[in-house]
Amino acid sequence: MRSQAVDHIALLPLYVAAGTAVLALLADLFTGRRPAIIGTTVVGAIVTAVCALAVGPWDPTFCATGGCSWVPTWPAAVTAALFAALTAAVLAFSVPALRIGAAPAGEYCFLLACSMTGGVTVAYAGDLLTLIVGLETLTLPLYVLVGLRRYAPIERPSSRPAEASVTFFLISVISTAIALLGIALNYAATGTVHLALLGPATTPFAALAGVGAALLVIGVAFKVAAVPLHAWAPSTYDGAPVPVAAYLSTASKLGGVLALAAVVAHLDTGAVMSALAVLTMTVGNLVALRQTRMVRLLAWSSVAQAGYILAALAMGAPGVPAALAYAVFFVVLETIAFGVVVALRPPVTLIPTAEQAEADGGTLADFRGAARRHPWLGAVFVLAMAGLAGLPPGLAGLFAKVSVVESLVAEGWIWLAAVVVVNAVIALAYYVRVAALLYTVPEHPGIHVADPGLLYDATHPRHRVDTPVAAALTVATVTAVVLGFAPQLLLNALT
């Protein structure tokens, strides 16, 4: 048997990502020092992003007749770098909690680096099996991260993280089984798993291939919390630590979008995708209107945002560039939103009690008037909300929605473009409400003062934002602004 040559330069981003996970473990083993563990993982994530962009488009490897399993392209490089950047940002958001021992730093960094490795694999995957392996490698560490907390021994531990972790695990196992069944049926009908060779099956097997494609889409749609496959998302996000919820809402969802984009670009799944898109954006927006907890509102908002991405993917290959561009804009803005939540609600005790874990993300009322204490955080949060709503000054989000609607109209999906526009209008209600809440001073019944804001400032003192959190927020905000003014740079890189 002839051995196959392996192009190690093409695999360099994967090597660095996997090496980062190993180095995080070694740093924990030999130093046991939290700064060394976190610093090693952050540097590894940055080097992964640099390597992905430096390699760029390259010769594919692990090739068989007609198809390859590892395909370095510019879209793959950009999304792999984005996975690495999201990992570094979430680690920065996690520093305040790790510093006070809310979670073991070694295990936390190792699991995040493993998840980043899965994201890199998804970005470069050239066949369905590599795609599923990458998606599961991205997701598996998150089962543990969702429930990874320490509690004060004298307190009754909260059951919410464990419940969220188990729910996420069970739903993901079922979704993976459905996706694998879809792959098996499609392979039986077409005889291939390479994305480059996927296409319509011959007449005797056309129905089998259609069922396989539908099952594959449904299985992967769990990962992006598409309705009616979304029930796990709000409770899992709200039960997880806020930085982990940020990673679920950004990196995990980006992995699902990449997997769906790879499938719909080669298989006819328009009917399934359009139905999922309408349900997802409509249910996500309507339920978000009634939320009173910040993380749950962001969770339902991300469900609705996934619906807009699915609408672009319903067009098949022509909608993939718009869907990927929207996904990138979305994860940057969502990272900013979760980062502000972390900055405004820092951990307050050495080991969180059950009550503090319950209030991790806080209610909407807890954010009332927060912009008075932290004007720059308020401005950044408004930028994120405006972008997610598709309004100025969030130009990145505005361009994302316009590109999706324009693509739908150009391909003749005018009815779906109308649904997107109607849902974008509905979403304005809760995005504007949250943004306005930051500048609203609460009333104090029975107390009459000339300036209620002075009383509020006295009862809600300003706290210091950790430097890593501020740095990650600054980078994410600058990225959002640059993408808003020069969106064509991203669109060119994703085509």
Side-chain angles (χ1 to χ4, degrees):
M1 179 181 293
R2 185 172 62 88
S3 61
Q4 186 183 46
V6 176
D7 191 331
H8 295 286
I9 294 179
L11 294 170
L12 188 60
L14 180 64
Y15 290 158
V16 177
T20 300
V22 175
L23 288 176
L25 276 184
L26 293 177
D28 186 25
L29 177 64
F30 289 110
T31 70
R33 297 178 62 247
R34 191 179 302 111
I37 300 168
I38 297 173
T40 298
T41 312
V42 170
V43 170
I46 295 173
V47 173
T48 300
V50 171
C51 287
L53 295 176
V55 171
W58 198 263
D59 294 333
T61 189
F62 296 120
C63 297
T65 304
C68 297
S69 296
W70 191 265
V71 185
T73 60
W74 269 125
V78 170
T79 49
L82 184 56
F83 277 115
L86 290 172
T87 303
V90 168
L91 270 175
F93 296 158
S94 305
V95 166
L98 294 176
R99 184 185 295 128
I100 64 171
E107 291 89 331
Y108 192 93
C109 292
F110 169 73
L111 291 169
L112 267 181
C114 288
S115 191
M116 174 181 68
T117 305
V120 171
T121 304
V122 171
Y124 287 96
D127 66 67
L128 294 175
L129 294 180
T130 304
L131 194 66
I132 292 297
V133 168
L135 203 55
E136 288 309 299
T137 306
L138 169 64
T139 307
L140 278 172
L142 300 179
Y143 306 151
V144 183
L145 285 172
V146 167
L148 190 65
R149 292 182 194 253
R150 288 174 177 161
Y151 293 96
I154 59 174
E155 297 288 341
R156 178 183 61 82
S158 171
S159 61
R160 290 180 64 210
E163 291 172 355
S165 182
V166 171
T167 301
F168 185 29
F169 171 75
L170 292 176
I171 293 297
S172 292
V173 167
I174 294 171
S175 69
T176 303
I178 294 173
L180 287 174
L181 178 59
I183 291 174
L185 293 178
N186 192 77
Y187 178 76
T190 63
T192 184
V193 293
H194 286 100
L195 297 176
L197 301 178
L198 287 181
T202 56
T203 303
F205 303 104
L208 183 62
V211 173
L215 289 176
L216 179 57
V217 165
I218 290 171
V220 178
F222 274 99
K223 308 296 184 182
V224 299
V227 177
L229 317 168
H230 68 290
W232 62 273
S235 59
T236 299
Y237 286 24
D238 203 24
V242 176
V244 177
Y247 202 75
L248 280 168
S249 184
T250 55
S252 179
K253 196 174 290 288
L254 178 62
V257 169
L258 290 176
L260 284 173
V263 172
V264 304
H266 300 90
L267 299 177
D268 183 12
T269 58
V272 176
M273 293 299 295
S274 58
L276 289 175
V278 172
L279 286 172
T280 301
M281 69 179 84
T282 304
V283 173
N285 282 321
L286 292 179
V287 179
L289 292 171
R290 303 184 57 188
Q291 298 307 306
T292 59
R293 292 183 58 79
M294 181 61 77
V295 172
R296 291 186 74 89
L297 185 142
L298 291 176
W300 282 106
S301 162
S302 73
V303 170
Q305 297 291 336
Y308 304 137
I309 298 172
L310 295 179
L313 293 178
M315 295 181 286
V320 168
L324 293 182
Y326 195 108
V328 173
F329 291 134
F330 161 72
V331 298
V332 172
L333 294 169
E334 191 83 347
T335 300
I336 295 172
F338 274 100
V340 173
V341 173
V342 171
L344 292 178
R345 296 188 59 78
V348 293
T349 60
L350 180 61
I351 301 179
T353 63
E355 288 73 17
Q356 289 160 353
E358 293 283 341
D360 216 4
T363 64
L364 296 183
D366 294 328
F367 292 82
R368 187 184 294 271
R372 291 182 61 95
R373 289 169 285 158
H374 300 279
W376 78 274
L377 286 178
V380 168
F381 199 59
V382 168
L383 174 69
M385 292 294 100
L388 291 172
L391 294 174
L395 297 179
L398 175 62
F399 175 81
K401 283 189 169 55
V402 169
S403 63
V404 169
V405 172
E406 184 179 24
S407 298
L408 287 169
V409 172
E411 293 296 320
W413 294 70
I414 298 177
W415 70 271
L416 191 53
V419 175
V420 169
V421 172
V422 170
N423 273 277
V425 173
I426 295 174
L428 292 178
Y430 59 86
Y431 285 129
V432 172
R433 176 166 63 103
V434 172
L437 199 66
L438 297 176
Y439 296 90
T440 303
V441 178
E443 297 181 357
H444 299 273
I447 302 178
H448 302 283
V449 294
D451 186 359
L454 295 177
L455 180 61
Y456 177 79
D457 293 340
T459 57
H460 294 74
R462 178 191 176 108
H463 64 263
R464 177 180 172 274
V465 179
D466 281 82
T467 302
V469 177
L473 269 176
T474 301
V475 172
T477 303
V478 170
T479 302
V481 172
V482 171
L483 290 178
F485 281 100
Q488 197 61 39
L489 294 176
L490 176 64
L491 202 57
N492 290 340
L494 294 175
T495 52

